[in-house]
Amino acid sequence: MAANGLLTLGRVKLSDLIATDGVPSDSYKLSVSTLSQSLSQYSAAIIQFSSSDGALLRSGLDSARLYFHQRPSFPDVIESDDSREWCRTSGYFADPQLWQETYDYRPGLTPLDEHSSINSVEFLPPPGALPDIFALLGRAARGILDAISFYLNLRSSPFAEILDNMPLRGREISSSVLSVCCHARPSFQGAHGQMGGLCEDDNHHVDKSLISLVKSDKAGLHIRDFNGRWVPVDGDLGPQEAIVFPGLALYQATAGYVNPALHRTDTGSGMQSNMYGRCSLTFKLMPKSMTNLSSSEMRAAGHGVESQFQLPVLVDDFMQRSHTTDYILNKHGYQGFGFPSSQDGSVMKPAMKRRKSNDSRCKPLPPSKRLRLDAQRVLKERVQDIADKKGIKLRFCNLKECESHVNDVDSPCANIRMEIGWPPGVPFVHPHDLPNKAKMGFLEAYEPGWTATQDIDMGLTESGRGGSQHSDIL
């Protein structure tokens, strides 16, 4: 962190963060510098929207207050703990223990037709409000991500391959989501009056997003700063301002250079006397489920990459895995996203991490691990492309179940296997979890000319080792 650190969260105009062709302007470099230094010190920054965009966000908050105020006192849909559905959440659900209600808007999945039977008790916002807010915050999040890439000296739009198409194609479902939230609504009796405020030890978490943007109608969001202190970050927001902070997916994709924000929500500061509670709009820019979080862009830019980030991680596995926050709590002095600046305020190239002489990249990977990486690559480059062109959503089977009906033309997955040319005799499960022989059959089918290297034991017959293999990646 530079010696002349920020006294408060950095404020940046979104219009100044949008990159243009040619030499970067002074205003762009200054905005990137302010953003990066604020993320380094506070793990968050304040983004300033235009007056018209600010009005759109405020109208969304007004609709949210009315919607939650009119809902029943007892929750009718309890939040599910099924991590496999991370990219399929849609509609209303509640978490009584956290005194929180949420409505998830996910393009491609959430119906907005008020005559739909699904929407009998659902959120019916002003016409076009949710799609417009989703589009606004989505553009902002992508612009912020590109600004971070500029700071890290990466090529332009380095994360485009793991982001949703813009706009979505065919029957695609958005990975990113807009969550309309309400904390501590007094008429919501799901918590039976037990929630009196935040719990300092247990009520903090980290988003698994690349970038999160939050616009709230009342203060209450706290983020742990560089020195380990909990800082209220939305106490003095203007009507056109929102909070941005990084998530775990960006931490993984940047090989630990951008720390995720550890945050919590205060539900005890005068909420009982407020009839609406605290409402907020939260946009999470998420990677696509069938892509990989890889440090290849960081290596290409000359950054040193530590051993735990060497191998790419399948996004779907990453999202379903539990992640401890201990490393964040203990990283008070870590300067992974420090932004040194010269005396004239211009942007300097990011400091390179010292490469270890015994860099683990020099060590050959075990044959089974190389085979698994090849399978993940072919899934991303070949199979997913075929499925996208045909408008097919890949939902893999369980290995044990699929082994029994892999050759059955009437099996649940038969039509999908035929549509995408899945190799006969290979169970329709994620290639990561296939036995080694089946992985080879998968690779030979989708990548003509692929042959197993001599040091891969052709007699391996291990069955799906999903759990143990996942632990090898991180």
Side-chain angles (χ1 to χ4, degrees), residues 75 77-82 89 92-96 98 100 102 104:
V77 182
I78 304 299
E79 182 176 10
S80 171
D81 291 330
D82 190 353
T89 58
Y92 174 87
F93 53 91
D95 188 334
L98 293 180
Q100 176 178 328
T102 303
D104 276 354

Side-chain angles (χ1 to χ4, degrees), residues 401-423:
E401 295 176 357
C402 200
E403 283 178 336
S404 63
H405 55 64
V406 66
N407 295 314
D408 186 356
V409 294
D410 296 323
S411 64
C413 59
N415 288 336
I416 295 180
R417 285 192 280 115
M418 181 178 65
E419 286 281 339
I420 65 175
W422 195 263

